[in-house]
Amino acid sequence: MAKLGTTDLDVFPLCLGGNVFGWTADQAVSFAVLDAYAAAGGNFVDTADVYSAWVPGNSGGESETVLGQWLAARGNRDSVVIATKGSRLAPFEGLSAKAIHGAADASLRRLGTDYIDLYYAHYDDPDTPVAETVAAYDELVRAGKVRYVAVSNMSTDRIRESLAVADREGLARYVAIQPHYNLVERADFERDVLPLASAEGLATVPYYALAKGFLTGKYRPGVEVDSPRAQGAASYLDERGERVLGELDRIAAAHGVPIAAVSLAWLAAQPTVAAPIASARTPEQLADLLPVGELRLSDEELSALTAASD
């Protein structure tokens, strides 16, 4: 376990992505994945109100509902760090004060809890002044509905402005950023987000940590994979991608662990990263990720992976 940035939240080095709950994993399978994660010492689960509104027949809120049902069934709310997000689900789109309060209350109902540990602005809302958004999040913290606030999919300029307003007004400031970052998607994070996070003491919790499945090693030249993300993952299969896979193969073999765990361990070792996010549709998929909890790569191994992906 490690502290999430400057907070008092102790989190497992793998954040379990909840986007699959109520989508590619039904309630029973979702419970099995969550049980296996908790049994391995996992305590950090990421979801969002809009998961999985894109699925025909779903309206959003399915993931939070499944997670809330699991928390109730297991009676373990206080031992789980719940991260969720708002701003994309009707009728509470955007980051106005009204939308933020409505979205948070709706998430609390679905999760069956009276507080959210880490609450993200899922996407920026350029039509709402930063000061209104920051003040609304502060009200949630003061009301005890949210312990800490964080941000995803917002420009570094807007995040800086938000932090400046919070500091000037004595309001709750963002404690974490959820960026797109992994071994084959580095440029934007390392150029823009990392300097900001380092300077401001913000933790980072990267999504697409396994590059839509590419960094699990199952995508190889001539191999067909049956997955909703196959097309996106296969786009990484170029000369650079094959070079990265080669290093992952070598290091995974040396440690006797799955390639996915090595990919996550590289990410977890990067500056500011508190825990990468990865999801699993089955307990078997989860088993490939869990070794990251104990796996520590040497400086040579970390450097070799970085060089391969440059």
Side-chain angles (χ1 to χ4, degrees):
M1 296 285 181
K3 292 290 182 195
L4 181 86
T6 58
T7 75
D8 64 354
L9 300 174
D10 291 306
V11 296
F12 190 70
L14 168 68
C15 180
L16 183 63
N19 58 312
V20 297
F21 304 153
W23 174 27
T24 52
D26 63 18
Q27 188 201 59
V29 175
S30 298
F31 276 32
V33 169
L34 285 159
D35 284 341
Y37 176 67
N43 75 330
F44 190 17
V45 184
D46 179 86
T47 184
D49 59 1
V50 77
Y51 299 163
S52 47
W54 57 85
V55 179
N58 284 5
S59 55
E62 288 80 15
S63 174
E64 289 181 330
T65 299
V66 169
L67 178 55
Q69 291 166 341
W70 177 76
L71 293 168
R74 302 298 180 259
N76 62 351
R77 172 65 189 94
D78 290 344
S79 62
V80 181
V81 175
I82 299 297
T84 191
K85 316 177 198 74
S87 80
R88 291 302 291 272
L89 185 63
F92 304 118
E93 300 103 326
L95 296 177
S96 68
K98 182 179 180 181
I100 286 171
H101 284 285
D105 286 343
S107 286
L108 288 166
R109 283 193 297 273
R110 286 187 292 266
L111 290 164
T113 183
D114 56 4
Y115 69 98
I116 294 163
D117 296 288
L118 188 65
Y119 192 48
Y120 289 94
H122 199 170
Y123 283 84
D124 196 7
D125 171 13
D127 295 329
T128 298
V130 161
E132 179 179 344
T133 298
V134 172
Y137 281 132
D138 181 75
E139 288 166 1
L140 291 179
V141 173
R142 290 178 189 273
K145 295 179 179 181
V146 168
R147 293 180 68 187
Y148 297 100
V149 289
V151 63
S152 181
N153 301 299
M154 185 180 287
S155 73
T156 50
D157 285 346
R158 291 272 285 183
I159 296 172
R160 280 193 186 89
E161 184 183 353
S162 303
L163 295 171
V165 168
D167 291 344
R168 185 178 68 240
E169 303 295 333
L171 305 175
R173 73 188 331 253
Y174 297 137
V175 300
I177 304 174
Q178 187 173 130
H180 183 185
Y181 183 41
N182 58 55
L183 194 49
V184 289
E185 290 280 2
R186 292 171 45 197
D188 289 348
F189 174 85
E190 292 176 2
R191 183 189 63 240
D192 300 327
V193 180
L194 178 57
L196 170 63
S198 296
E200 295 287 352
L202 305 178
T204 54
V205 186
Y207 67 88
Y208 284 156
L210 292 171
K212 301 178 183 176
F214 175 74
L215 293 171
T216 64
K218 64 185 176 184
Y219 294 88
R220 306 281 180 165
V223 175
E224 294 257 335
V225 178
D226 180 21
S227 166
R229 295 177 171 179
Q231 188 173 356
S235 68
Y236 295 110
L237 199 53
D238 53 16
E239 182 184 346
R240 172 175 174 249
E242 291 189 42
R243 197 166 63 233
V244 169
L245 289 177
E247 283 299 329
L248 288 170
D249 286 336
R250 177 181 73 84
I251 295 167
H255 287 273
V257 298
I259 287 170
V262 177
S263 303
L264 294 172
W266 177 88
L267 196 52
Q270 301 310 304
T272 74
V273 174
I277 302 170
S279 55
R281 286 182 289 152
T282 64
E284 291 74 24
Q285 283 189 352
L286 180 68
D288 285 348
L289 313 179
L290 288 173
V292 72
E294 303 291 332
L295 180 60
R296 298 295 176 268
L297 302 182
S298 69
D299 290 344
E300 181 275 329
E301 289 167 334
L302 291 168
S303 296
L305 286 167
T306 301
S309 72
D310 279 342

